[in-house]
Amino acid sequence: MHNIPEHMTEHRAIFEHRSINQLLAIVKNDLRKFDQEGLIDEGTLVKSVMYCNERLGIPVRDVREIAIPVSHFQAQLPIDFEKVYYVCALQATNTMVVQGRDPFNNNFDQDIIYEAAIDRDSFGGAINYQVTINRITNTTVHQHDNWTHLDISGSDKFCHIDCPNKKRKGKYSIMIKDDKIHTPFRAGTLYMMYIGMMKDENGNITFPFHPLVTPYYEWTIKEKIISDAIFNSDGDNLGELFKLAQQEKSKAWLDAFNFTTSKEYGYYTNLQRKKELQWYSQYFRYLQ
């Protein structure tokens, strides 16, 4: 167990989940030129936060349910995706018919992700299960008898340990690669229950805020943004700035690591572990 220096003890009692937009605002303020040139995006931010969570062992996860359109044999995963627990096809076709689409609207976004939920009042027998999808234009209900069961191949690292799609053969096999689900059917709609990052009451992805932890997240993101700029030849004379980001990230890592080995942090992880143990009875056992 590492001892936390005396100058840190005044901060260690508070650990919050704040909107990731606050972290983005800090980074954009410090890297204004990069922001003006469009070199800072939410995708980079979220992936960096997930990397920091994993490196520090911070469990900031929750169960999410979504419906994803399939277009040209693939569906885009949400940016906060960590592990899939269950996935099935609510529609699967080799034509390009997309439900809910206005044929006169050319601005339709194939990558849009809709809110979806299994009706838990019907739990108790799979024959009664149904998924409700909430779209801007309409709401659709899909009965269990019409679901197309899928199995997942070659993608175990993206699956929850209890994922039933790994254990049972489905009508189609799908694969997860390069932030996409690849399907053997051209178009359709997938329902997916997955493990992702926590969100606040407004639906914003959150990050773990603490005075001893947040700087590590900030400098990890800054280092990634500067590195991408150098790699893409968008940044001249950025070597010194990149070196500074690496140095500051190393310093921030020590404070963050020491915090995550404290008793106070251990109490937090125990609470999260108890929450995750409830997932099985709340969600997973019904789909085994």
Side-chain angles (χ1 to χ4, degrees), residues 18-36 40-42 44-46 49 204-205 207 209 214 217-219 221-222 225:
R18 294 190 179 182
S19 170
I20 210 166
N21 294 329
Q22 294 186 30
L23 187 58
L24 181 60
I26 293 171
V27 173
K28 284 185 174 181
N29 184 63
D30 291 346
L31 298 177
R32 294 187 187 92
K33 186 174 183 294
F34 290 84
D35 185 31
Q36 292 169 358
I40 301 176
D41 62 57
E42 186 181 6
T44 298
L45 180 70
V46 172
V49 169
N204 298 310
I205 294 173
F207 76 100
F209 174 83
T214 302
Y217 285 76
E218 291 177 25
W219 284 106
I221 294 167
K222 291 173 184 175
I225 292 170

Side-chain angles (χ1 to χ4, degrees), residues 78-96:
I79 58 175
D80 68 327
F81 172 83
E82 184 176 322
K83 301 281 185 181
V84 59
Y85 177 73
Y86 176 76
V87 61
C88 69
L90 303 179
Q91 295 174 307
T93 178
N94 281 315
T95 65
M96 284 305 294

Side-chain angles (χ1 to χ4, degrees), residues 23-268:
L23 187 58
L24 181 60
I26 293 171
V27 173
K28 284 185 174 181
N29 184 63
D30 291 346
L31 298 177
R32 294 187 187 92
K33 186 174 183 294
F34 290 84
D35 185 31
Q36 292 169 358
E37 295 177 0
L39 299 176
I40 301 176
D41 62 57
E42 186 181 6
T44 298
L45 180 70
V46 172
K47 294 299 183 185
S48 296
V49 169
M50 293 176 73
Y51 165 80
C52 292
N53 289 344
E54 182 176 357
R55 180 134 195 254
L56 290 171
I58 296 181
V60 189
R61 297 184 292 266
D62 216 339
V63 177
R64 316 234 74 84
E65 295 177 86
I66 57 171
I68 320 174
V70 176
S71 176
H72 299 289
F73 304 98
Q74 60 186 28
Q76 182 69 47
L77 287 168
I79 58 175
D80 68 327
F81 172 83
E82 184 176 322
K83 301 281 185 181
V84 59
Y85 177 73
Y86 176 76
V87 61
C88 69
L90 303 179
Q91 295 174 307
T93 178
N94 281 315
T95 65
M96 284 305 294
V97 176
V98 182
Q99 179 163 346
R101 179 177 180 180
D102 179 352
F104 301 104
N105 181 6
N106 293 322
N107 295 319
F108 180 78
D109 184 358
Q110 291 282 3
D111 294 333
I112 192 168
I113 294 175
Y114 300 104
E115 291 184 4
I118 288 182
D119 175 14
R120 283 178 179 72
D121 291 335
S122 67
F123 276 158
I127 191 172
N128 298 318
Y129 291 1
Q130 60 187 34
V131 170
T132 301
I133 303 176
N134 295 313
R135 297 181 175 89
I136 295 176
T137 55
N138 61 19
T139 298
T140 57
V141 178
H142 302 263
Q143 301 294 335
H144 180 269
D145 288 346
N146 297 321
W147 299 0
T148 300
H149 298 285
L150 308 170
D151 60 73
I152 300 176
S153 62
S155 309
D156 281 1
K157 68 178 181 179
F158 297 112
C159 297
H160 186 277
I161 188 172
D162 294 320
C163 176
N165 300 92
K166 295 192 305 179
K167 306 171 185 176
R168 295 198 297 262
K169 184 68 177 174
K171 181 177 180 179
Y172 300 113
S173 292
I174 61 173
M175 180 177 66
I176 299 174
K177 183 180 179 182
D178 299 329
D179 296 325
K180 292 181 174 62
I181 297 176
H182 298 267
T183 70
F185 45 90
R186 184 180 181 88
T189 303
L190 301 180
Y191 163 78
M192 183 171 71
M193 182 182 290
Y194 72 99
I195 311 302
M197 296 176 68
M198 287 184 182
K199 295 185 179 181
D200 61 20
E201 61 276 9
N202 297 316
N204 298 310
I205 294 173
T206 63
F207 76 100
F209 174 83
H210 189 281
L212 299 178
V213 173
T214 302
Y216 175 62
Y217 285 76
E218 291 177 25
W219 284 106
T220 299
I221 294 167
K222 291 173 184 175
E223 180 191 50
K224 173 61 175 171
I225 292 170
I226 298 168
S227 174
D228 287 348
I230 294 173
F231 181 79
N232 293 315
S233 301
D234 291 323
D236 296 326
N237 302 317
L238 289 178
E240 289 300 314
L241 186 59
F242 182 66
K243 184 177 180 180
L244 172 65
Q246 289 182 310
Q247 293 172 343
E248 292 299 323
K249 187 183 81 167
S250 296
K251 295 176 186 176
W253 158 255
L254 294 176
D255 285 349
F257 179 77
N258 283 338
F259 171 75
T260 59
T261 58
S262 69
K263 291 182 179 179
E264 287 79 4
Y265 176 74
Y267 175 74
Y268 164 78

